[in-house]
Amino acid sequence: MTEPLREAHERASWAELFFDLVLVFAVTQAAHVAVAGESWGAVGQTVLLLAIMWWSWVGTTLSVHGVEDSNRQRIFLFACGLCMFVIAIAAPHAFIGRALPLILAVAHLVLRLLLWVEMRRKRALSQAGVFGSWVNPFTITLVAAVLLVIAALVPEGGARNALWIVAVLLAFGGPALLARRMESVQFGATHLPERFATFVIIALGETVASVGSEAAEAHLGVMSWIAVVLIFVLGCGLWWLYFAYGFSAVEHSLRTNQVRGTVVRDVLSYGHILLVIGLVGVAVGARSMVEHPTATAHGVNAFLLPIGATLYVSTFLFTRWRMFGAATLGRFIAALVLAALTLASTLLPEIVTLAAVTAVLVGLNAWEYWVVSTGRPLLLMTRTRAN
């Protein structure tokens, strides 16, 4: 087997990083919906908001991928950033009333139009056929954006929520439905992993910001201070799971996979949104645990930290399976333990649940570090191949 050619490392441009700053605010605004609503419905609305923000960010990232940093690209990114800024401002009221939901939907539609025109101009997804380059994942997200405009015009409630769900499912289904069009697109093995890792950092930062803002405004007792320390250690454990080994695994997979579009779709686009949702769940749940550390879990938000941690760890099983055909046994066991802690959290004080989740993640990281540093192979859960 020939060694894959080494590629130059493409750094994110300053304009891309400026665009990411808007996402920091946007993620905070989406999380605010769950914090304020304190219901499973509010959590679902947060997931829907994160989904359109995420898919808009993915589209913007792919549209400038492989393009030389230029004034034209900077202006394009600034225009997309303005649309995202408007979306973020209106996000907490996306499902209430009519004016702000319509402003959000129109800003999202303009952003999707910008992305569709840019990809048409670049002919990045052109392919012979009846429709040529007219029908691609960016076209489908444009249709989804129109559905959100319609949703803003209908009365709030079940009909609006249903239209949002259909729009999000349609947008996320585009790359899967038109998978063959992604096969011909050339993706770099260094720039995209770095860009998606940046979003993970943004979501991790939401935990620090959420807990920090809550702690700064309250008079904390001893148990609350212990909770703050545990949450920071938990954040370090979540960081370690991704950046110690996961990030380099994505880069390696992109370099060695013959169809890089599959990795971009399944691991980066689909897998990373699950990571982000898990991290935002941890952030919202952590805020609740600082407020009531000795209380037994009550209310929806109290369950979100163990649920978010479970989703985060479980996602690595999916992404590694898609990249290498096998998940690690250690992370599978950790995910099962975290799921059990989620079920048991109704019987435990919140700080006990927090300490247990933190211990599981720190223990998993320590185990993986020991295995790798001593040269032992990671135990894998391999899939069987049909003959």
PDB file of all heavy atoms in Angstrom, residues 99-120:
ATOM      1  N   ALA A  99     -43.199  38.382  14.391  1.00  0.00           N
ATOM      2  CA  ALA A  99     -42.211  39.306  13.829  1.00  0.00           C
ATOM      3  C   ALA A  99     -40.797  38.726  13.886  1.00  0.00           C
ATOM      4  O   ALA A  99     -40.117  38.612  12.856  1.00  0.00           O
ATOM      5  CB  ALA A  99     -42.273  40.643  14.555  1.00  0.00           C
ATOM      6  N   LEU A 100     -40.332  38.366  15.090  1.00  0.00           N
ATOM      7  CA  LEU A 100     -38.967  37.852  15.223  1.00  0.00           C
ATOM      8  C   LEU A 100     -38.780  36.501  14.531  1.00  0.00           C
ATOM      9  O   LEU A 100     -37.734  36.274  13.896  1.00  0.00           O
ATOM     10  CB  LEU A 100     -38.579  37.765  16.696  1.00  0.00           C
ATOM     11  CG  LEU A 100     -38.262  39.121  17.348  1.00  0.00           C
ATOM     12  CD1 LEU A 100     -38.017  38.952  18.836  1.00  0.00           C
ATOM     13  CD2 LEU A 100     -37.056  39.771  16.684  1.00  0.00           C
ATOM     14  N   PRO A 101     -39.742  35.575  14.601  1.00  0.00           N
ATOM     15  CA  PRO A 101     -39.592  34.344  13.816  1.00  0.00           C
ATOM     16  C   PRO A 101     -39.450  34.615  12.319  1.00  0.00           C
ATOM     17  O   PRO A 101     -38.681  33.932  11.633  1.00  0.00           O
ATOM     18  CB  PRO A 101     -40.869  33.566  14.124  1.00  0.00           C
ATOM     19  CG  PRO A 101     -41.263  34.022  15.480  1.00  0.00           C
ATOM     20  CD  PRO A 101     -40.901  35.482  15.513  1.00  0.00           C
ATOM     21  N   LEU A 102     -40.180  35.617  11.813  1.00  0.00           N
ATOM     22  CA  LEU A 102     -40.081  35.943  10.389  1.00  0.00           C
ATOM     23  C   LEU A 102     -38.728  36.557  10.071  1.00  0.00           C
ATOM     24  O   LEU A 102     -38.127  36.255   9.027  1.00  0.00           O
ATOM     25  CB  LEU A 102     -41.203  36.904   9.999  1.00  0.00           C
ATOM     26  CG  LEU A 102     -41.310  37.236   8.506  1.00  0.00           C
ATOM     27  CD1 LEU A 102     -41.520  35.963   7.689  1.00  0.00           C
ATOM     28  CD2 LEU A 102     -42.441  38.234   8.259  1.00  0.00           C
ATOM     29  N   ILE A 103     -38.232  37.424  10.967  1.00  0.00           N
ATOM     30  CA  ILE A 103     -36.901  38.015  10.760  1.00  0.00           C
ATOM     31  C   ILE A 103     -35.848  36.917  10.716  1.00  0.00           C
ATOM     32  O   ILE A 103     -34.953  36.912   9.860  1.00  0.00           O
ATOM     33  CB  ILE A 103     -36.593  39.037  11.879  1.00  0.00           C
ATOM     34  CG1 ILE A 103     -37.474  40.277  11.709  1.00  0.00           C
ATOM     35  CG2 ILE A 103     -35.114  39.426  11.859  1.00  0.00           C
ATOM     36  CD1 ILE A 103     -37.378  41.257  12.860  1.00  0.00           C
ATOM     37  N   LEU A 104     -35.934  35.965  11.652  1.00  0.00           N
ATOM     38  CA  LEU A 104     -34.985  34.845  11.671  1.00  0.00           C
ATOM     39  C   LEU A 104     -35.075  34.048  10.380  1.00  0.00           C
ATOM     40  O   LEU A 104     -34.035  33.715   9.763  1.00  0.00           O
ATOM     41  CB  LEU A 104     -35.268  33.955  12.881  1.00  0.00           C
ATOM     42  CG  LEU A 104     -34.349  32.742  13.092  1.00  0.00           C
ATOM     43  CD1 LEU A 104     -34.239  32.407  14.585  1.00  0.00           C
ATOM     44  CD2 LEU A 104     -34.847  31.494  12.352  1.00  0.00           C
ATOM     45  N   ALA A 105     -36.292  33.732   9.950  1.00  0.00           N
ATOM     46  CA  ALA A 105     -36.476  32.891   8.760  1.00  0.00           C
ATOM     47  C   ALA A 105     -35.975  33.580   7.500  1.00  0.00           C
ATOM     48  O   ALA A 105     -35.344  32.946   6.641  1.00  0.00           O
ATOM     49  CB  ALA A 105     -37.947  32.520   8.608  1.00  0.00           C
ATOM     50  N   VAL A 106     -36.217  34.880   7.384  1.00  0.00           N
ATOM     51  CA  VAL A 106     -35.758  35.621   6.199  1.00  0.00           C
ATOM     52  C   VAL A 106     -34.234  35.695   6.194  1.00  0.00           C
ATOM     53  O   VAL A 106     -33.597  35.528   5.138  1.00  0.00           O
ATOM     54  CB  VAL A 106     -36.389  37.021   6.160  1.00  0.00           C
ATOM     55  CG1 VAL A 106     -35.740  37.872   5.072  1.00  0.00           C
ATOM     56  CG2 VAL A 106     -37.896  36.918   5.928  1.00  0.00           C
ATOM     57  N   ALA A 107     -33.629  35.958   7.357  1.00  0.00           N
ATOM     58  CA  ALA A 107     -32.162  35.996   7.427  1.00  0.00           C
ATOM     59  C   ALA A 107     -31.570  34.648   7.048  1.00  0.00           C
ATOM     60  O   ALA A 107     -30.552  34.566   6.333  1.00  0.00           O
ATOM     61  CB  ALA A 107     -31.721  36.396   8.836  1.00  0.00           C
ATOM     62  N   HIS A 108     -32.206  33.572   7.502  1.00  0.00           N
ATOM     63  CA  HIS A 108     -31.741  32.233   7.151  1.00  0.00           C
ATOM     64  C   HIS A 108     -31.899  31.972   5.658  1.00  0.00           C
ATOM     65  O   HIS A 108     -31.018  31.385   5.023  1.00  0.00           O
ATOM     66  CB  HIS A 108     -32.518  31.194   7.966  1.00  0.00           C
ATOM     67  CG  HIS A 108     -32.129  29.784   7.670  1.00  0.00           C
ATOM     68  ND1 HIS A 108     -32.971  28.898   7.048  1.00  0.00           N
ATOM     69  CD2 HIS A 108     -30.976  29.101   7.895  1.00  0.00           C
ATOM     70  CE1 HIS A 108     -32.369  27.735   6.914  1.00  0.00           C
ATOM     71  NE2 HIS A 108     -31.156  27.820   7.418  1.00  0.00           N
ATOM     72  N   LEU A 109     -33.002  32.422   5.072  1.00  0.00           N
ATOM     73  CA  LEU A 109     -33.217  32.249   3.634  1.00  0.00           C
ATOM     74  C   LEU A 109     -32.174  33.013   2.830  1.00  0.00           C
ATOM     75  O   LEU A 109     -31.629  32.486   1.845  1.00  0.00           O
ATOM     76  CB  LEU A 109     -34.623  32.714   3.261  1.00  0.00           C
ATOM     77  CG  LEU A 109     -34.990  32.658   1.768  1.00  0.00           C
ATOM     78  CD1 LEU A 109     -34.889  31.231   1.245  1.00  0.00           C
ATOM     79  CD2 LEU A 109     -36.398  33.218   1.549  1.00  0.00           C
ATOM     80  N   VAL A 110     -31.873  34.236   3.245  1.00  0.00           N
ATOM     81  CA  VAL A 110     -30.842  35.027   2.549  1.00  0.00           C
ATOM     82  C   VAL A 110     -29.492  34.321   2.641  1.00  0.00           C
ATOM     83  O   VAL A 110     -28.736  34.247   1.658  1.00  0.00           O
ATOM     84  CB  VAL A 110     -30.760  36.446   3.142  1.00  0.00           C
ATOM     85  CG1 VAL A 110     -29.565  37.205   2.559  1.00  0.00           C
ATOM     86  CG2 VAL A 110     -32.048  37.211   2.865  1.00  0.00           C
ATOM     87  N   LEU A 111     -29.178  33.795   3.814  1.00  0.00           N
ATOM     88  CA  LEU A 111     -27.910  33.075   3.984  1.00  0.00           C
ATOM     89  C   LEU A 111     -27.852  31.858   3.070  1.00  0.00           C
ATOM     90  O   LEU A 111     -26.833  31.621   2.401  1.00  0.00           O
ATOM     91  CB  LEU A 111     -27.766  32.638   5.448  1.00  0.00           C
ATOM     92  CG  LEU A 111     -26.561  31.744   5.798  1.00  0.00           C
ATOM     93  CD1 LEU A 111     -25.257  32.405   5.405  1.00  0.00           C
ATOM     94  CD2 LEU A 111     -26.571  31.397   7.272  1.00  0.00           C
ATOM     95  N   ARG A 112     -28.938  31.092   3.002  1.00  0.00           N
ATOM     96  CA  ARG A 112     -28.940  29.922   2.135  1.00  0.00           C
ATOM     97  C   ARG A 112     -28.859  30.315   0.668  1.00  0.00           C
ATOM     98  O   ARG A 112     -28.244  29.610  -0.144  1.00  0.00           O
ATOM     99  CB  ARG A 112     -30.193  29.079   2.376  1.00  0.00           C
ATOM    100  CG  ARG A 112     -30.403  28.521   3.764  1.00  0.00           C
ATOM    101  CD  ARG A 112     -29.212  27.840   4.379  1.00  0.00           C
ATOM    102  NE  ARG A 112     -28.508  26.902   3.529  1.00  0.00           N
ATOM    103  CZ  ARG A 112     -27.569  26.064   3.959  1.00  0.00           C
ATOM    104  NH1 ARG A 112     -27.227  26.057   5.245  1.00  0.00           N
ATOM    105  NH2 ARG A 112     -26.950  25.259   3.127  1.00  0.00           N
ATOM    106  N   LEU A 113     -29.458  31.440   0.281  1.00  0.00           N
ATOM    107  CA  LEU A 113     -29.329  31.941  -1.101  1.00  0.00           C
ATOM    108  C   LEU A 113     -27.882  32.299  -1.409  1.00  0.00           C
ATOM    109  O   LEU A 113     -27.368  31.984  -2.500  1.00  0.00           O
ATOM    110  CB  LEU A 113     -30.231  33.154  -1.306  1.00  0.00           C
ATOM    111  CG  LEU A 113     -31.705  32.868  -1.609  1.00  0.00           C
ATOM    112  CD1 LEU A 113     -32.525  34.156  -1.513  1.00  0.00           C
ATOM    113  CD2 LEU A 113     -31.856  32.250  -2.999  1.00  0.00           C
ATOM    114  N   LEU A 114     -27.220  32.975  -0.479  1.00  0.00           N
ATOM    115  CA  LEU A 114     -25.808  33.322  -0.668  1.00  0.00           C
ATOM    116  C   LEU A 114     -24.968  32.069  -0.883  1.00  0.00           C
ATOM    117  O   LEU A 114     -24.106  32.019  -1.772  1.00  0.00           O
ATOM    118  CB  LEU A 114     -25.290  34.098   0.541  1.00  0.00           C
ATOM    119  CG  LEU A 114     -25.773  35.542   0.704  1.00  0.00           C
ATOM    120  CD1 LEU A 114     -25.333  36.092   2.066  1.00  0.00           C
ATOM    121  CD2 LEU A 114     -25.227  36.422  -0.417  1.00  0.00           C
ATOM    122  N   LEU A 115     -25.219  31.049  -0.075  1.00  0.00           N
ATOM    123  CA  LEU A 115     -24.442  29.816  -0.191  1.00  0.00           C
ATOM    124  C   LEU A 115     -24.745  29.092  -1.494  1.00  0.00           C
ATOM    125  O   LEU A 115     -23.834  28.564  -2.150  1.00  0.00           O
ATOM    126  CB  LEU A 115     -24.744  28.897   1.001  1.00  0.00           C
ATOM    127  CG  LEU A 115     -24.335  29.431   2.383  1.00  0.00           C
ATOM    128  CD1 LEU A 115     -24.754  28.450   3.477  1.00  0.00           C
ATOM    129  CD2 LEU A 115     -22.837  29.681   2.439  1.00  0.00           C
ATOM    130  N   TRP A 116     -26.007  29.065  -1.891  1.00  0.00           N
ATOM    131  CA  TRP A 116     -26.375  28.377  -3.128  1.00  0.00           C
ATOM    132  C   TRP A 116     -25.745  29.067  -4.339  1.00  0.00           C
ATOM    133  O   TRP A 116     -25.187  28.396  -5.226  1.00  0.00           O
ATOM    134  CB  TRP A 116     -27.894  28.353  -3.272  1.00  0.00           C
ATOM    135  CG  TRP A 116     -28.376  27.602  -4.467  1.00  0.00           C
ATOM    136  CD1 TRP A 116     -28.502  26.251  -4.589  1.00  0.00           C
ATOM    137  CD2 TRP A 116     -28.787  28.156  -5.722  1.00  0.00           C
ATOM    138  NE1 TRP A 116     -28.973  25.914  -5.834  1.00  0.00           N
ATOM    139  CE2 TRP A 116     -29.158  27.075  -6.559  1.00  0.00           C
ATOM    140  CE3 TRP A 116     -28.890  29.453  -6.212  1.00  0.00           C
ATOM    141  CZ2 TRP A 116     -29.610  27.262  -7.857  1.00  0.00           C
ATOM    142  CZ3 TRP A 116     -29.347  29.644  -7.508  1.00  0.00           C
ATOM    143  CH2 TRP A 116     -29.704  28.555  -8.325  1.00  0.00           C
ATOM    144  N   VAL A 117     -25.799  30.386  -4.363  1.00  0.00           N
ATOM    145  CA  VAL A 117     -25.202  31.132  -5.483  1.00  0.00           C
ATOM    146  C   VAL A 117     -23.695  30.921  -5.515  1.00  0.00           C
ATOM    147  O   VAL A 117     -23.101  30.728  -6.588  1.00  0.00           O
ATOM    148  CB  VAL A 117     -25.535  32.633  -5.365  1.00  0.00           C
ATOM    149  CG1 VAL A 117     -24.720  33.447  -6.357  1.00  0.00           C
ATOM    150  CG2 VAL A 117     -27.024  32.868  -5.580  1.00  0.00           C
ATOM    151  N   GLU A 118     -23.061  30.918  -4.351  1.00  0.00           N
ATOM    152  CA  GLU A 118     -21.606  30.736  -4.297  1.00  0.00           C
ATOM    153  C   GLU A 118     -21.200  29.358  -4.793  1.00  0.00           C
ATOM    154  O   GLU A 118     -20.227  29.216  -5.547  1.00  0.00           O
ATOM    155  CB  GLU A 118     -21.108  30.955  -2.868  1.00  0.00           C
ATOM    156  CG  GLU A 118     -19.607  30.815  -2.682  1.00  0.00           C
ATOM    157  CD  GLU A 118     -18.815  31.903  -3.377  1.00  0.00           C
ATOM    158  OE1 GLU A 118     -19.418  32.876  -3.868  1.00  0.00           O
ATOM    159  OE2 GLU A 118     -17.577  31.762  -3.442  1.00  0.00           O
ATOM    160  N   MET A 119     -21.920  28.335  -4.398  1.00  0.00           N
ATOM    161  CA  MET A 119     -21.585  26.985  -4.851  1.00  0.00           C
ATOM    162  C   MET A 119     -21.889  26.806  -6.337  1.00  0.00           C
ATOM    163  O   MET A 119     -21.191  26.057  -7.027  1.00  0.00           O
ATOM    164  CB  MET A 119     -22.344  25.951  -4.022  1.00  0.00           C
ATOM    165  CG  MET A 119     -21.947  25.938  -2.549  1.00  0.00           C
ATOM    166  SD  MET A 119     -20.177  25.694  -2.255  1.00  0.00           S
ATOM    167  CE  MET A 119     -20.018  23.935  -2.539  1.00  0.00           C
ATOM    168  N   ARG A 120     -22.905  27.468  -6.833  1.00  0.00           N
ATOM    169  CA  ARG A 120     -23.182  27.455  -8.268  1.00  0.00           C
ATOM    170  C   ARG A 120     -22.039  28.130  -9.030  1.00  0.00           C
ATOM    171  O   ARG A 120     -21.599  27.643 -10.072  1.00  0.00           O
ATOM    172  CB  ARG A 120     -24.488  28.191  -8.563  1.00  0.00           C
ATOM    173  CG  ARG A 120     -25.746  27.393  -8.286  1.00  0.00           C
ATOM    174  CD  ARG A 120     -26.075  26.465  -9.436  1.00  0.00           C
ATOM    175  NE  ARG A 120     -26.249  27.214 -10.670  1.00  0.00           N
ATOM    176  CZ  ARG A 120     -26.178  26.675 -11.883  1.00  0.00           C
ATOM    177  NH1 ARG A 120     -25.925  25.395 -12.012  1.00  0.00           N
ATOM    178  NH2 ARG A 120     -26.371  27.410 -12.961  1.00  0.00           N
TER     179      ARG A 120
END
